[in-house]
Amino acid sequence: MKATSHTITTDVVIIGGGLGGVAAALAVVRSGRRAVLTDEFAWLGGQLTSQAVPPDEHKWVERFGVTASYRALREGIRDYYRDNYPLTAEARLNPRLNPGAGLVSKLCHEPRVAAAVIERMLAPHRSSGRLVVLQPYVAIAAEHHDGTVSSVTVTRVGSHRADADTITITAPYILDATETGELLPLTGTDYVTGAEARSETHEPSAPASAQPDNVQAITWCFAFDHTDGDNTIDRPADYDFWRSYEPPFWGDRLLSFTAPNPRTLTPEKRTMVVNPALVDGRDSDQSLSGGDSDLWMFRRILARSNFTPGAYDSDIVVANWPMLDYLEASILDNADAATHLEAARQLSLSYFYWLQTEAPRPDGGAGWPGLRLRGDVLGTPDGLAQAPYIRESRRIRALTTIVEQDISVASRGTAGPATFDKSVGVGMYRIDLHPSTGGDNYIDVECSPFEIPLGALIPSSTSNLIAASKNIGTTHITNGAYRLHPVEWNIGESAGHLAVFCLEGGTTPRAVHDDDHLTSDFQEHLQAAGIEIHWPEILGY
């Protein structure tokens, strides 16, 4: 095949089609501007879809604390089930339908449903031509000079040098919405990875010295159900390695039902009750518990009792469990990243094989050979998600860096809202860091409802690049709170609006930040678009 190359000129280019990228694209095109959105995977939506993680959200999500467009996404998912699935009458009439009745979220659902709803939200703008979506494409280069990025070049995933399909995209504003901050090194934007030194951030939970390779574990999720018969997969190539692998603080081998309690760090044994008879009646409430005491119900994405009798023979579950956290190395700025990504896949396959063959059952037996990988639910041939779940990205050196003291209840001495003068959104989650590649156990800190400062989206060194995902000006510690689904969406949406505001006003992100009047005008713009920028008087957890 002959190599092809061409150029697209637009108003805003958004590299990365996760939740931040999708929200940014919607903000741009709904404002009447043009955008190009790229992603390397088959499904847009990132952690919600291609990474197969049901939404981690705060306890007030059904009432306030998310943007209007994120709320539309959530309700669109519920409507998709009402329109297309054989729900029971009770489930269909439930305004707070939770299809999976999982304990991690008030809206546990199949990733492909979210992908379909996202496509529906974007469809009219693709038809109008204001939005161009390039899939599967990754950024490979960027032209930049004196702190200004003039273009980004992307190539089709799987292309070889001889037949490369490359596109150079030029735009006044560049948004990095990738999962790992891929544009930052390509554009010469100053960034940080891993844990900062306590002497730099003064954070109580920071290490004494900087640890750039110490990041939260990635996880390669998978989906499964249970049927009669033997569905045992081939023994994974690395099974013997993972079968004997035991982190020093774990309390057992990784291939077990034991893992540390994130809040006490005490090793605890989980249960897994396959296809419990009834939907558990508890509501997801992260202020009370992480919800992972029973692995089946933790991230169940389809509970058969929500549907008409006989429609489904089994629940469907997503495995995003502590035992799948890959602790061997960071994939950021690592020449061996591909090796470690494959090792993370091997860990997940090994855990599933262990479940099928060796896991202790409540009846005293070993293994559930009837467990079946459901790649069809995730859009893959092997049952694993299209992409690994990325918890921590490269992060910009920003005009504002959010530190633990800004949002920690213990550091602030109050659980009331943590405010910033130049807020562009809100979020809430505990400061929740999974075990890390540097050998750390969980870091789990009580957190105040927080705001998203404008300066955290703006790099100190690049004038027209805006952070639109988990790559904003957080630290290793505070990223643990700002990395979740609705916060990433809010970050991306505000980043998209910032680009439009600058285009319309002939100004720059830094100028908007530095001028109080411009900041106020921008905040009014955000509020008119349905973005909450302050919390009511509530208490964090």
Side-chain angles (χ1 to χ4, degrees):
M1 182 181 295
K2 185 178 180 181
T4 62
S5 179
H6 64 281
T7 300
I8 299 175
T9 300
T10 190
D11 294 323
V12 182
V13 55
I14 305 157
I15 305 296
L19 289 175
V22 169
L26 284 169
V28 171
V29 297
R30 286 174 174 174
S31 299
R33 289 285 183 163
R34 297 171 300 135
V36 173
L37 173 67
T38 75
D39 196 60
E40 62 179 301
F41 300 106
W43 290 348
L44 297 173
Q47 58 179 318
L48 189 64
T49 58
S50 60
Q51 298 174 31
V53 180
D56 284 299
E57 300 167 330
H58 56 73
K59 63 184 290 185
W60 307 283
V61 66
E62 302 289 0
R63 294 180 288 154
F64 52 81
V66 297
T67 76
S69 63
Y70 184 80
R71 191 170 303 283
L73 169 65
R74 296 179 88 255
E75 292 310 308
I77 290 167
R78 285 175 168 148
D79 287 343
Y80 192 98
Y81 278 94
R82 295 184 183 110
D83 292 344
N84 298 288
Y85 280 70
L87 293 167
T88 65
E90 180 182 6
R92 188 176 303 280
L93 293 173
N94 184 356
R96 296 188 177 181
L97 170 66
N98 189 350
L103 297 182
V104 73
S105 172
K106 299 179 188 296
L107 187 58
C108 286
H109 60 274
E110 297 159 276
R112 63 179 170 192
V113 171
V117 174
I118 286 170
E119 289 294 337
R120 187 169 65 190
M121 296 173 78
L122 295 175
H125 310 290
R126 298 177 76 163
S127 295
S128 72
R130 284 192 298 273
L131 177 64
V132 174
V133 179
L134 302 176
Q135 291 173 276
Y137 278 79
V138 294
I140 57 170
E143 289 290 330
H144 60 95
H145 183 70
D146 289 340
T148 300
V149 184
S150 55
S151 68
V152 177
T153 298
V154 298
T155 190
R156 183 180 292 276
V157 173
S159 295
H160 299 287
R161 187 175 298 274
D163 62 355
D165 178 4
T166 63
I167 301 173
T168 298
I169 312 165
T170 64
Y173 284 97
I174 315 295
L175 272 56
D176 185 347
T178 62
E179 297 296 323
T180 55
E182 291 297 315
L183 282 189
L184 305 185
L186 293 179
T187 58
T189 300
D190 290 340
Y191 67 92
V192 63
T193 63
E196 298 89 345
R198 189 178 306 140
S199 59
E200 178 185 353
T201 67
H202 308 290
E203 294 173 302
S205 301
S209 58
Q211 300 173 356
D213 294 326
N214 186 10
V215 303
Q216 289 194 69
I218 65 170
T219 298
W220 215 302
C221 303
F222 56 84
F224 66 100
D225 63 5
H226 186 274
T227 68
D228 295 332
D230 188 347
N231 299 309
T232 306
I233 64 173
D234 293 339
R235 184 184 178 95
D238 293 348
Y239 185 70
D240 290 340
F241 172 82
W242 290 114
R243 188 175 183 273
S244 62
Y245 188 92
E246 183 173 347
F249 52 82
W250 209 260
D252 202 343
R253 294 175 301 172
L254 209 57
L255 269 57
S256 70
F257 284 137
T258 298
N261 180 306
R263 301 183 188 183
T264 68
L265 304 186
T266 302
E268 294 181 354
K269 185 165 288 188
R270 275 62 167 181
T271 61
M272 193 176 85
V273 179
V274 173
N275 278 323
L278 298 172
V279 167
D280 188 279
R282 290 174 293 169
D283 185 26
S284 165
D285 188 345
Q286 295 285 338
S287 69
L288 301 177
S289 167
D292 66 343
S293 59
D294 183 84
L295 298 177
W296 186 276
M297 291 194 297
F298 182 34
R299 294 184 188 271
R300 179 172 51 189
I301 57 172
L302 186 145
R304 64 196 189 286
S305 57
N306 268 332
F307 302 86
T308 55
Y312 299 97
D313 295 328
S314 173
D315 298 342
I316 303 175
V317 174
V318 158
N320 174 20
W321 304 332
M323 305 79 167
L324 307 181
D325 287 357
Y326 181 76
L327 305 174
E328 287 291 278
S330 168
I331 62 169
L332 303 178
D333 297 333
N334 187 336
D336 293 325
T339 298
H340 292 292
L341 288 169
E342 177 55 31
R345 290 174 57 86
Q346 283 288 312
L347 168 57
S348 293
L349 289 170
S350 294
Y351 195 86
F352 186 71
Y353 183 77
W354 176 82
L355 286 175
Q356 291 180 311
T357 60
E358 295 191 63
R361 298 196 309 262
D363 64 5
W368 288 272
L371 295 178
R372 176 178 61 171
L373 286 171
R374 291 295 305 271
D376 57 316
V377 172
L378 304 182
T380 64
D382 61 5
L384 272 62
Q386 296 172 26
Y389 178 30
I390 303 294
R391 295 183 175 91
E392 188 169 336
S393 173
R394 299 174 181 88
R395 303 180 301 279
I396 61 170
R397 294 283 189 184
L399 299 185
T400 302
T401 299
I402 306 153
V403 295
E404 184 177 357
Q405 305 90 292
D406 291 327
I407 61 174
S408 160
V409 171
S411 295
R412 298 180 66 241
T414 175
T419 61
F420 292 90
D421 290 338
K422 299 178 183 291
S423 172
V424 295
V426 298
M428 173 59 204
Y429 207 73
R430 289 177 70 92
I431 300 175
D432 171 22
L433 280 77
H434 276 236
S436 71
T437 56
D440 294 335
N441 203 336
Y442 282 94
I443 298 174
D444 193 282
V445 177
E446 190 177 9
C447 190
S448 297
F450 52 81
E451 297 174 353
I452 304 167
L454 172 60
L457 279 59
I458 304 172
S460 58
S461 62
T462 308
S463 64
N464 66 331
L465 184 142
I466 304 171
S469 186
K470 294 184 286 287
N471 54 352
I472 65 169
T474 57
T475 64
H476 171 67
I477 302 298
T478 57
N479 166 74
Y482 279 76
R483 65 182 175 85
L484 285 312
H485 302 64
V487 187
E488 183 190 342
W489 182 279
N490 194 152
I491 290 165
E493 187 170 356
S494 294
H497 281 294
L498 179 59
V500 171
F501 187 84
C502 291
L503 286 167
E504 299 290 343
T507 186
T508 66
R510 180 149 199 165
V512 174
H513 175 270
D514 291 347
D515 186 313
D516 290 344
H517 293 294
L518 282 176
T519 298
S520 179
D521 288 346
F522 179 53
Q523 289 175 316
E524 290 180 7
H525 174 89
L526 294 177
Q527 289 175 299
I531 296 176
E532 299 174 26
I533 63 172
H534 299 299
W535 283 100
E537 285 301 319
I538 54 174
L539 299 178
Y541 48 85

